[in-house]
Amino acid sequence: MNKDTGYTDIKSWNYAAESPGGRVMRGLIAGPDAHNVEAALRHQGLIPISIRPATNSWFTGGRFAPSASLQGAALQDRDIANIAAQLHELLLAGIPVLAALRFAATCAPRPAQRAVLQELVGQVTAGNSVSSALRSASFNIPQFVVTLVEVGEATGDLGGQLRRISAHYESRVALERDLRGKLAYPAALLVLTIATVLFLSFGVLPQFEGIFTAAGAVPPPETVLA
């Protein structure tokens, strides 16, 4: 039992697991021991292949060591989706909220994600709820997120609300990616059309002027303009 936090020490574990589709997934997960980590992976529908302690610890002398904050930064949709998904998985594994926030901060792939999680760690350590910490955060947190987290805390289903938040923003990211993919072809076609028109106007048509001049004929207006 950790004297500072009052809960069983949580360790970080590197894992390799097979997904239902047969793809091997690797990552970092938190848990008190390998048995609990295996159970958490199987609960997610994964078949554990290997589980071993991570070489880096997410505690520094039993306390979290935050890095510099990116105050005023705006979180992107993928940031919110990633944070909500990871916290949901950690809470689903039975890890306390504060420990989940600390662990997620060490695993965050982007500086903005780490900074907002570190800020939440400080607020929750001081006794604030997650929703109030989000409401007073220096980051631009959407009201939609704050409201769902507040509902989750009031109903005792914070993990479920985090899953809803993650699904919502993942769908937004997927829609944006799909729109970019569908607009890529028309954009490329437009550029090619403009390039073709410019080539014909300034590269091909002027050559006909010499032909008409040699024949003693008046060139068409398109050739003269070119």
Side-chain angles (χ1 to χ4, degrees):
M1 185 75 70
N2 189 297
K3 295 180 180 179
D4 292 333
T5 58
Y7 53 79
T8 303
D9 287 334
I10 305 297
K11 301 176 183 178
S12 54
W13 304 80
N14 288 314
Y15 73 87
E18 183 179 345
S19 69
R23 186 164 61 94
V24 176
M25 303 177 62
R26 302 179 187 275
L28 196 65
I29 191 171
D33 53 51
H35 177 74
N36 281 272
V37 170
E38 179 181 355
L41 291 173
R42 291 190 182 279
H43 187 79
Q44 298 175 36
L46 302 175
I47 301 176
I49 299 174
S50 67
I51 299 172
R52 53 189 176 81
T55 55
N56 61 319
S57 174
W58 56 288
F59 279 106
T60 302
R63 297 182 181 276
F64 184 73
S67 61
S69 174
L70 302 176
Q71 292 188 355
L75 291 176
Q76 299 180 12
D77 288 350
R78 60 172 175 164
D79 294 324
I80 299 176
N82 182 276
I83 290 173
Q86 188 166 23
L87 290 176
H88 164 250
E89 292 178 359
L90 292 170
L91 294 179
L92 190 65
I95 297 172
V97 174
L98 182 56
L101 289 169
R102 283 172 165 164
F103 183 78
T106 65
C107 301
R110 283 168 40 84
Q113 294 180 26
R114 286 194 298 273
V116 71
L117 284 166
Q118 289 166 4
E119 187 173 325
L120 292 179
V121 167
Q123 292 282 345
V124 174
T125 302
N128 297 316
S129 64
V130 178
S131 58
S132 63
L134 288 172
R135 188 175 289 107
S136 61
S138 60
F139 288 77
N140 298 321
I141 307 295
Q143 183 59 40
F144 169 78
V145 174
V146 178
T147 300
L148 286 187
V149 169
E150 193 170 24
V151 170
E153 290 176 329
T155 59
D157 186 28
L158 180 57
Q161 297 303 323
L162 288 170
R163 184 177 65 250
R164 289 185 59 190
I165 293 171
S166 174
H168 172 76
Y169 282 97
E170 283 175 356
S171 66
R172 284 170 59 107
V173 171
L175 177 60
E176 183 180 350
R177 187 185 304 116
D178 186 51
L179 289 175
R180 284 201 302 266
K182 290 181 178 179
L183 290 175
Y185 176 74
L189 186 61
L190 178 61
V191 171
L192 181 61
T193 301
I194 294 175
T196 302
V197 171
L198 292 176
F199 172 73
L200 292 175
S201 299
F202 297 98
V204 177
L205 291 180
Q207 297 180 14
F208 285 93
E209 184 178 2
I211 298 176
F212 284 105
T213 301
V218 179
E222 293 85 357
T223 305
V224 176
L225 292 175

